[in-house]
Amino acid sequence: PPTLGAGHPEAATIALRYLGIPYQWGGASPSTGFDCSGLVMYVYEQLGIKLPHQAAAQFGYGAPVPRDQLQPGDLVFFDGLSHVGIYIGGGEIVHAPHTGDVVKISPLTEFANYVGARRL
């Protein structure tokens, strides 16, 4: 298998700036709120990387990463590709969970339905 590149650890740092921003379905900016893929799209756009606004479509980008090799900035996918977050290290992700919640940090172990990860 090909060697994984360094990825974009700075994406984890950028994502942490948006903790507490309200969840908004279809949202993709701090002024209107974020949904899960909108947060990922917005963070990576600041690094010059254009991604679609849909978790399942984002799964098609980058290279697959084994769960035991996750690094900050990797995208992690759950719920049949209907949810995505950004790995920040220490077994935790930043994500926009659902209506009524805010962008927050959650442990990977909170998700029973892990699908996979990608490194951009």
Side-chain angles (χ1 to χ4, degrees), residues 36-37 40 54-55 58 75-78 82-86 93-96:
C36 66
S37 60
V40 168
Q54 183 188 33
Q58 290 174 355
L75 304 185
V76 286
F77 295 86
F78 310 93
S82 68
H83 190 63
V84 62
I86 298 174
I93 67 166
V94 171
H95 65 131

Side-chain angles (χ1 to χ4, degrees), residues 24-50:
Q24 174 64 49
W25 189 84
S29 82
S31 59
T32 59
F34 290 110
D35 65 13
C36 66
S37 60
L39 174 65
V40 168
M41 184 177 77
Y42 187 82
V43 166
Y44 269 89
E45 194 171 87
Q46 293 177 62
L47 299 172
I49 298 170
K50 301 270 188 222

Side-chain angles (χ1 to χ4, degrees), residues 51-119:
L51 293 171
H53 192 170
Q54 183 188 33
Q58 290 174 355
F59 190 73
Y61 287 73
V65 182
R67 191 169 179 160
D68 64 354
Q69 293 180 36
L70 286 172
Q71 293 181 7
D74 290 344
L75 304 185
V76 286
F77 295 86
F78 310 93
D79 297 334
L81 298 180
S82 68
H83 190 63
V84 62
I86 298 174
Y87 188 71
I88 60 170
E92 295 182 319
I93 67 166
V94 171
H95 65 131
H98 52 75
T99 301
D101 211 333
V102 297
V103 175
K104 66 181 184 180
I105 296 171
S106 295
L108 268 177
T109 54
E110 185 175 290
F111 300 90
N113 39 17
Y114 178 83
V115 174
R118 308 294 283 193
R119 182 166 302 156

